[in-house]
Amino acid sequence: MITSTAISSTGSTAPPVAVHRVLTGQKALVTGANSGIGKGVAIALGQAGADVVVNYVEDDDTANAVVDEIRKSDVKAYAHKADVSSEDQVAAMLARMTQEFGTIDILVNNAGLQRDSAFHEMTLDKWNKVLGVNLTGQFLCAREAVREFLRRGVVASVSSAAGKIICMSSVHQEIPWAGHANYAASKGGIKQLMESMAQELAPKRIRVNGIAPGAIRTPINTVAWDTKEAYDRLMTLVPYGRIGEPADIARAVVWLASDHSDYVVGTTLFVDGGMTLYPGFATGG
Ligand code: BGC
């Protein structure tokens, strides 16, 4: 049993919780796993007993550091550089994984980015980049994983399901976001992609679910929390009164990847401190 704690500097702490080895023997791929939410997820999957592939697209050192951290849990891990929006690179990544680990049981479709812009100034490059990584990347990785799940089928000693896919979405699959039309569109797309896959693949015992994080303390949104003023403004949007930590999301992923959630299919789990409760309406409307 391993305990994980996330300590924050700006007034919030994700409580320490015991991580049990509920994923022993399973093989997981986490995309975008060298920083932010993906890093927290990859480490937690290792703590839960899974062998983990750490996908990343730049900065070898950070990816290797995550691998070292995962190996402390006595599981296997390696880093694999690949752009999830490239069909060839994704196919090669999954081919290597099935060679090195034998198969894949868990895909965490996490890689994502923002390229913010006022709508009238948004370039096609910014649009294509965000849709390419956030949405097409999830499609390509899921398609390769599903091909392997279908080939292998259920191995009852490993899991009740033939495979699990967890799609990292955002509260912005629901909440419109001015200045971020490309990002919000990608997350709305992820919702429909996830649900359509879930409907189609459930009869094959493949479980597809989503997680919609709210404001999590990661490099993607530093401007939203790195000064007291920004943090206080952010808190007007979070009823629970603290920013989320990668560990908050990682625990949800471990649960969705495990047989503890075996009857959960096609659901988006919002992990957002109540952001989607529209706190402005607590006193207005
Ligand atoms: C975005 C963050 C933002 C959060 C809440 C996330 O999906 O990536 O930048 O802080 O949503 O708005």
Side-chain angles (χ1 to χ4, degrees):
M1 201 159 76
I2 294 161
T3 300
S4 71
T5 318
I7 304 293
S8 76
S9 55
T10 328
S12 91
T13 301
V17 278
V19 179
H20 300 277
R21 293 182 76 92
V22 286
L23 301 176
T24 298
Q26 299 202 42
K27 318 296 177 191
L29 166 61
V30 184
T31 64
N34 60 328
S35 85
I37 289 174
K39 174 180 173 180
V41 166
I43 292 168
L45 289 173
Q47 290 172 342
D51 296 328
V52 184
V53 177
V54 173
N55 160 259
Y56 69 107
V57 73
E58 57 189 30
D59 199 347
D60 300 355
D61 289 349
T62 55
N64 290 329
V66 175
V67 166
D68 289 345
E69 187 64 31
I70 294 169
R71 287 182 179 153
K72 289 183 190 162
S73 295
D74 275 335
V75 294
K76 292 186 201 141
Y78 68 85
H80 186 102
K81 183 171 184 164
D83 174 355
V84 295
S85 67
S86 156
E87 187 171 26
D88 291 350
Q89 291 181 38
V90 169
M93 177 164 65
L94 270 289
R96 178 179 171 200
M97 184 171 177
T98 47
Q99 211 169 21
E100 296 214 11
F101 283 177
T103 191
I104 176 171
D105 302 289
I106 299 159
L107 167 66
V108 185
N109 254 339
N110 169 78
L113 45 78
Q114 289 181 214
R115 292 289 181 272
D116 308 330
S117 166
F119 185 74
H120 65 288
E121 287 167 350
M122 187 172 286
T123 60
L124 183 58
D125 271 359
K126 280 190 172 180
W127 175 268
N128 283 339
K129 181 75 181 170
V130 170
L131 271 290
V133 172
N134 295 12
L135 186 56
T136 306
Q138 294 215 6
F139 157 66
L140 290 172
C141 293
R143 191 185 62 180
E144 292 305 314
V146 165
R147 287 174 177 169
E148 171 62 11
F149 297 158
L150 293 174
R151 184 200 64 75
R152 193 204 56 236
V154 175
V155 178
S157 57
V158 174
S159 174
S160 307
K164 283 87 53 162
I165 298 177
I166 293 134
C167 298
M168 204 57 71
S169 183
S170 163
V171 289
H172 298 295
Q173 73 171 36
E174 298 293 335
I175 304 178
W177 206 14
H180 310 261
N182 48 1
Y183 184 83
S186 74
K187 295 301 181 178
I190 287 169
K191 174 181 189 283
Q192 281 297 332
L193 172 65
M194 182 279 286
E195 291 178 7
S196 299
M197 286 194 294
Q199 188 191 62
E200 183 170 337
L201 297 167
K204 309 286 188 195
R205 306 274 304 181
I206 294 168
R207 288 196 302 117
V208 186
N209 288 287
I211 293 182
I216 309 299
R217 189 195 306 274
T218 73
I220 208 174
N221 61 354
T222 311
V223 291
W225 52 261
D226 73 340
T227 64
K228 183 168 182 327
E229 198 187 28
Y231 189 85
D232 289 347
R233 203 169 40 241
L234 182 63
M235 285 309 103
T236 66
L237 301 174
V238 185
Y240 201 56
R242 72 166 173 89
I243 195 170
E245 305 291 346
D248 289 304
I249 305 302
R251 291 168 199 148
V253 170
V254 169
W255 182 72
L256 278 178
S258 77
D259 283 358
H260 289 172
S261 62
D262 188 52
Y263 207 50
V264 180
V265 175
T267 292
T268 298
L269 182 55
F270 284 78
V271 184
D272 68 353
M275 191 175 247
T276 37
L277 298 174
Y278 297 93
F281 281 83
T283 52

